[in-house]
Amino acid sequence: MKEKFKVRTDLALEAREDIQMSDSELDGVIVEEKMNSHANIHVIKLTITNEHGAKLLKKPVGTYLTLEAPDMVQPSEEYHREISCVLAEYIKDLIRPYWREDGISILVVGLGNREVTPDALGPNVVNNIAIQRENEVDNQKISISGIVPGVMAQTGMETAVIIKGVVSETMPDVVIAIDALAARNSKRLNTTIQVTDTGIHPGSGVGNHRRAITKESIGTNVIAIGVPTVIDTPTIVYDTLENLLKALSVSEHFKSVSDTFHRFNNDEKYQLIREIINPEMSDMFVTPKDADETIKRIGYTISEAINIAANS
């Protein structure tokens, strides 16, 4: 029997969109939206408040902030600076509970493989972090350190084990982990940033799930920042099918065909996709052709947001 195929996404917002229930009907999930018209950034705050909501979305209880910035792929320094400033405010809100009276110690972890472009977001962020040991700002000591632990194929060790060892020696108040993610919608590739206080699973963006990096697994608070940089081939096929059905629905001649397919639920559509694509394509991932420059640019934007949040 063939394994049931599921479209992959690491975004809590997309997991919410896949559930056909109104916000009022979805117990344990609170969704708030805000539009920054000046910077053209749509911010969605999704809070999972109980285990029922966690089970529905298949995400841990916690807060998930999604910043949608359609122009983030453009090489505008001024616009990326605005994104950094907006993102910094949300990072400040999440690290505020971990400030001590005399300051804060932050460990920035760049997850991923710097040799693989769509997986190199984390290392690119750490490359631009303003590393500082015991720097005094407004009579408070701010410490920012950074590591790029690599991936298991390079080190032979679980990333979470390496981070736990560093945490036990340096004892930071909070870890900020950055990783590449996978999207459900191709429009969100390199245009969306997710920030959460629930930790992260390294390798999510390339379908190589490793041990979770959470407070429970490494021994300190974890804030995760991720950007969807890849989308898998079956998801592209799914989106193409959906677009085809929309096109057929406006045609009198083919409307009956569209109506038939629209009676399928998501699981049935996913299973149809599995039947029609080549097995070799199931594990393929796609990233935009200009990924090299885009990943570097977004990495710098996130690093600037962390620098601003830690020093303001």
Side-chain angles (χ1 to χ4, degrees):
M1 183 176 179
K2 292 185 178 181
E3 179 186 356
K4 185 177 287 188
F5 164 72
K6 292 290 185 180
V7 170
R8 177 183 287 118
T9 179
D10 296 312
L11 298 175
L13 176 63
E14 291 187 333
R16 168 66 188 94
E17 290 173 346
D18 281 345
I19 298 176
Q20 303 301 313
M21 298 172 65
S22 68
D23 291 339
S24 60
E25 296 173 322
L26 195 55
D27 176 51
V29 178
I30 300 172
V31 180
E32 303 170 73
E33 298 187 48
K34 180 180 179 181
M35 186 66 194
N36 185 318
S37 55
H38 174 69
N40 190 27
I41 299 174
H42 184 205
V43 181
I44 305 97
K45 180 180 180 181
L46 188 152
T47 308
I48 301 178
T49 61
N50 58 35
E51 291 303 322
H52 180 262
K55 185 177 180 180
L56 283 174
L57 268 61
K58 297 180 175 60
K59 301 286 182 184
V61 171
T63 300
Y64 300 81
L65 291 162
T66 305
L67 280 68
E68 295 183 324
D71 298 328
M72 193 161 68
V73 294
Q74 302 301 322
S76 168
E77 290 186 11
E78 182 179 352
Y79 183 66
H80 277 261
R81 178 67 179 178
E82 290 188 16
I83 296 173
S84 295
C85 291
V86 172
L87 178 58
E89 290 301 314
Y90 291 104
I91 295 174
K92 281 167 61 177
D93 288 342
L94 290 177
I95 67 175
R96 187 171 289 116
Y98 311 129
W99 279 78
R100 294 171 280 105
E101 289 186 4
D102 60 340
I104 190 171
S105 173
I106 300 171
L107 172 63
V108 182
V109 178
L111 300 170
N113 186 346
R114 64 169 75 248
E115 304 300 325
V116 179
T117 297
D119 199 30
L121 177 68
N124 273 306
V125 171
V126 174
N127 285 349
N128 295 291
I129 288 293
I131 302 298
Q132 53 192 41
R133 298 297 298 177
E134 300 296 334
N135 185 36
E136 192 167 295
V137 179
D138 295 332
N139 297 319
Q140 291 187 315
K141 292 180 179 179
I142 312 298
S143 170
I144 304 178
S145 53
I147 61 167
V148 178
V151 295
M152 194 172 185
Q154 297 171 320
T155 66
M157 295 179 284
E158 281 278 1
T159 304
V161 172
I162 297 173
I163 298 172
K164 184 176 182 180
V166 174
V167 166
S168 66
E169 288 294 322
T170 61
M171 295 184 291
D173 298 303
V174 61
V175 164
I176 299 180
I178 299 95
D179 200 8
L181 306 177
R184 158 70 183 81
N185 189 324
S186 58
K187 292 181 180 180
R188 290 195 168 105
L189 289 180
N190 298 329
T191 63
T192 303
I193 302 173
Q194 176 175 271
V195 187
T196 177
D197 58 4
T198 63
I200 201 166
H201 290 75
S204 294
V206 291
N208 183 23
H209 296 273
R210 310 305 310 180
R211 189 183 301 178
I213 296 172
T214 62
K215 182 176 182 178
E216 292 71 27
S217 67
I218 68 171
T220 195
N221 309 292
V222 180
I223 292 170
I225 302 176
V227 175
T229 61
V230 295
I231 187 168
D232 61 10
T233 304
T235 302
I236 294 176
V237 176
Y238 178 91
D239 285 343
T240 303
L241 176 62
E242 288 290 287
N243 289 333
L244 174 62
L245 295 179
K246 288 178 183 177
L248 293 176
S249 67
V250 299
S251 168
E252 289 297 327
H253 188 67
F254 293 107
K255 191 174 189 301
S256 60
V257 178
S258 174
D259 291 342
T260 299
F261 278 99
H262 274 300
R263 285 196 288 269
F264 288 14
N265 61 35
N266 283 341
D267 282 344
E268 290 169 334
K269 290 178 183 177
Y270 297 159
Q271 194 59 33
L272 174 62
I273 292 169
R274 185 177 179 83
E275 295 292 337
I276 63 177
I277 66 173
N278 293 329
E280 294 80 8
M281 294 179 65
S282 296
D283 294 326
M284 290 178 62
F285 289 83
V286 178
T287 192
K289 64 180 181 180
D290 56 350
D292 293 88
E293 289 303 315
T294 302
I295 296 299
K296 289 179 182 178
R297 190 180 306 117
I298 295 174
Y300 182 79
T301 300
I302 294 174
S303 67
E304 281 295 281
I306 295 173
N307 292 335
I308 294 170
N311 292 281
S312 60

